Amino acid sequence: MANRTDPLAKSIRGTNPQNLVEKILRTKIYQHTYWKEQCFGLTAETLVDKAMELDHLGGTHSGTRKPTPFMCLVMKMLQIQPDKEIVVEFIKNPEYKYVRVLGAFYLRLTGMDVDVYHYLEPLYNDYRKLRLKLNDGKFTLTHVDEYIDELLTKDYSCDIALPRIKKRWTLEGLGSLEPRRSALEDDFEEEEEKEEDDQLADGLDSAADDKDYYRARSPTREKDRDRKRDSHRYRDRDYDRDRDYDRDRDRDYERDYDRDGGRRDRDRDRDRYRLRDEKDYGRDRERDREGRDRERRERDRGRRRSHSRSRSRSRDRKDHDGDERRRRHHSSTSPKRRGEAPEDEAPKKKKEKKAAKKDDGTDHPDPEIAEQNRLRLSLGLKPLRV
């Protein structure tokens, strides 16, 4: 009955709060004398008195892995599950450092991520010493802020696996936490401002002392320095005037160069256009000369063909006249000859058809003119006469 969890306790992270401690360690705690004698019947009010008696912290020690009183009290808090206000009062206790560490460890086991960062990060400003019992039974020295950093950054503490929590920058990105500001930041800023003011005052004082020292040591040195300063000023003024003159001269030269360059560009473009026009003109002249030669050849070819056609026509006319006289001469002598007249006329008709075919211009020696005459013949137009 003494080892059971309080019936009114709520489950933490979906399980019994005592299950946050491993079973082996939980069994060792139940068998320890401190648990049986000092933790029996404790409540949230009487637990504070036992926490104030702590003088060290730790998990287990020695060869048998005995639990420390700190771990027994943590187990008792998981069993009775005190209110959140009581745990926060443990953490805010400024007098007893082990009470503060006990509350921080319990909140790390059972609290939400935002609450863990909200209540544990202010403990970074606590630099008090703590006694930590190691696994071999020896003690070592640590500090409150070091132990709080272990709770927030490590996965194990006092031989217990700590529940995982979200990183701080993740919660800041979600807007659950404000950006962390150190409590010592204001002190650092004040110290830095004070140091800067002191350095500035020391620099001014040293400069004034040096100036008085050199002035008292050599009165003529100030006059020499003034004279050198004036000479440098005059030299700089002359140098500036010469530089302005050189700049104006370079600007005028660039302007003249740009003007001459533009004129040269225009002349170059004009020459280029002139050469291009001459080439085009020569090409046109060659094309016109070739056209005239082609027309002359076609005209000569047509003249020769018309001459041959006129000779063939005159030959046909003579043949026709001879046939007429022959028919008249033989018409009275033989009726059989009269019947043969159509047979003599057949070759003449063939010749006329052949001549007619030749007159349509489709047999022109130039293939282009012959093609044009065929097209004009299909359209019913007159052939080309060349």
Side-chain angles (χ1 to χ4, degrees):
M1 294 294 293
N3 298 333
R4 290 185 179 181
T5 306
D6 188 356
L8 300 178
K10 298 179 182 180
S11 63
I12 297 175
R13 304 182 188 277
T15 184
N16 190 342
Q18 294 193 67
N19 292 338
L20 295 175
V21 180
E22 287 81 357
K23 185 176 181 180
I24 297 176
L25 181 57
R26 191 165 62 243
T27 303
K28 291 183 178 294
I29 292 174
Y30 293 156
Q31 297 175 357
H32 197 262
T33 306
Y34 185 86
W35 172 263
K36 295 177 180 179
E37 295 179 358
Q38 304 296 330
C39 298
F40 180 78
L42 286 180
T43 61
E45 291 78 8
T46 59
L47 182 65
V48 181
D49 299 333
K50 294 296 179 181
M52 292 168 60
E53 296 176 0
L54 292 174
D55 59 353
H56 68 278
L57 59 91
T60 58
H61 61 90
S62 301
T64 57
R65 294 294 180 184
K66 297 179 182 180
T68 58
F70 178 83
M71 188 55 58
C72 293
L73 291 180
V74 171
M75 190 69 182
K76 194 62 180 180
M77 293 181 70
L78 292 174
Q79 184 180 8
I80 64 178
Q81 199 178 47
D83 295 336
K84 182 179 178 181
E85 291 77 8
I86 297 176
V87 178
V88 172
E89 290 298 328
F90 278 21
I91 296 173
K92 292 183 177 180
N93 191 335
E95 297 180 1
Y96 298 95
K97 51 188 177 181
Y98 291 103
V99 174
R100 170 173 283 187
V101 172
L102 179 65
F105 189 84
Y106 177 77
L107 183 65
R108 175 66 178 85
L109 289 176
T110 61
M112 302 298 292
D113 299 347
V114 179
D115 293 337
V116 170
Y117 284 105
H118 181 70
Y119 291 109
L120 265 62
E121 281 185 344
L123 301 183
Y124 276 128
N125 302 321
D126 192 349
Y127 307 111
R128 289 179 291 182
K129 299 178 182 180
L130 295 174
R131 296 176 66 203
L132 177 63
K133 199 167 189 177
L134 302 177
N135 295 333
D136 57 357
K138 297 180 180 180
F139 290 93
T140 186
L141 190 64
T142 184
H143 299 80
V144 177
D145 58 333
E146 294 178 1
Y147 188 71
I148 295 300
D149 185 70
E150 178 181 342
L151 293 177
L152 292 178
T153 59
K154 304 295 182 180
D155 295 331
Y156 283 87
S157 180
C158 295
D159 298 331
I160 292 181
L162 301 176
R164 293 185 178 274
I165 59 175
K166 296 179 181 178
K167 300 298 182 181
R168 178 176 178 82
W169 56 79
T170 303
L171 298 176
E172 290 180 0
L174 296 175
S176 302
L177 282 179
E178 296 292 334
R180 183 173 178 272
R181 181 180 175 85
S182 176
L184 301 177
E185 189 172 353
D186 296 334
D187 297 338
F188 287 145
E189 291 179 357
E190 292 178 359
E191 291 292 334
E192 290 177 357
E193 292 178 357
K194 185 177 180 181
E195 290 178 0
E196 291 178 358
D197 295 339
D198 294 341
Q199 291 178 0
L200 183 61
D202 295 340
L204 293 176
D205 294 340
S206 61
D209 295 340
D210 293 341
K211 188 174 181 180
D212 295 338
Y213 172 75
Y214 283 113
R215 184 176 299 170
R217 186 176 179 182
S218 57
T220 59
R221 184 170 298 176
E222 292 293 333
K223 295 181 180 180
D224 296 338
R225 187 182 297 110
D226 295 337
R227 190 180 303 107
K228 289 182 180 178
R229 189 184 301 112
D230 295 337
S231 62
H232 284 300
R233 188 184 300 113
Y234 294 145
R235 190 184 306 113
D236 294 339
R237 187 173 58 188
D238 296 338
Y239 174 74
D240 294 337
R241 183 167 57 252
D242 295 338
R243 187 174 55 184
D244 295 337
Y245 174 74
D246 295 337
R247 190 186 297 112
D248 296 336
R249 185 179 57 187
D250 293 339
R251 192 182 297 111
D252 296 337
Y253 175 75
E254 291 177 358
R255 190 184 301 112
D256 297 338
Y257 179 78
D258 294 338
R259 190 183 300 113
D260 295 339
R263 187 181 301 108
R264 285 194 298 271
D265 293 339
R266 288 195 298 273
D267 295 340
R268 192 181 301 110
D269 295 338
R270 189 180 301 109
D271 296 338
R272 190 183 300 114
Y273 293 145
R274 186 183 300 111
L275 291 174
R276 189 183 303 166
D277 294 340
E278 289 177 358
K279 290 181 180 179
D280 295 339
Y281 178 71
R283 196 179 297 112
D284 295 337
R285 289 187 61 186
E286 290 291 337
R287 194 180 296 110
D288 295 341
R289 186 181 300 107
E290 291 176 358
R292 286 196 298 273
D293 294 340
R294 190 185 301 109
E295 291 177 359
R296 188 181 301 106
R297 287 195 300 271
E298 292 175 356
R299 194 181 304 112
D300 296 339
R301 193 181 297 113
R303 189 179 297 110
R304 287 194 300 271
R305 197 180 66 184
S306 62
H307 180 66
S308 61
R309 190 182 300 118
S310 61
R311 288 196 331 191
S312 61
R313 192 179 297 114
S314 61
R315 190 182 302 110
D316 293 338
R317 190 179 297 110
K318 288 179 181 181
D319 294 339
H320 180 69
D321 294 340
D323 292 339
E324 286 292 331
R325 285 195 299 271
R326 197 178 298 110
R327 190 171 50 253
R328 289 173 187 169
H329 179 69
H330 294 286
S331 62
S332 59
T333 58
S334 175
K336 190 176 181 180
R337 295 285 185 180
R338 280 196 301 267
E340 293 177 356
E343 294 179 1
D344 297 336
E345 293 178 358
K348 183 166 59 177
K349 290 182 179 180
K350 289 181 180 180
K351 291 181 181 181
E352 290 178 357
K353 288 181 181 180
K354 192 172 183 180
K357 283 184 180 179
K358 291 181 179 180
D359 292 339
D360 58 7
T362 57
D363 57 347
H364 198 276
D366 192 350
E368 295 182 359
I369 299 177
E371 184 66 26
Q372 292 292 331
N373 287 334
R374 292 192 196 96
L375 181 60
R376 294 176 68 86
L377 181 62
S378 62
L379 297 175
L381 300 176
K382 291 181 180 182
L384 298 174
R385 300 292 184 177
V386 182

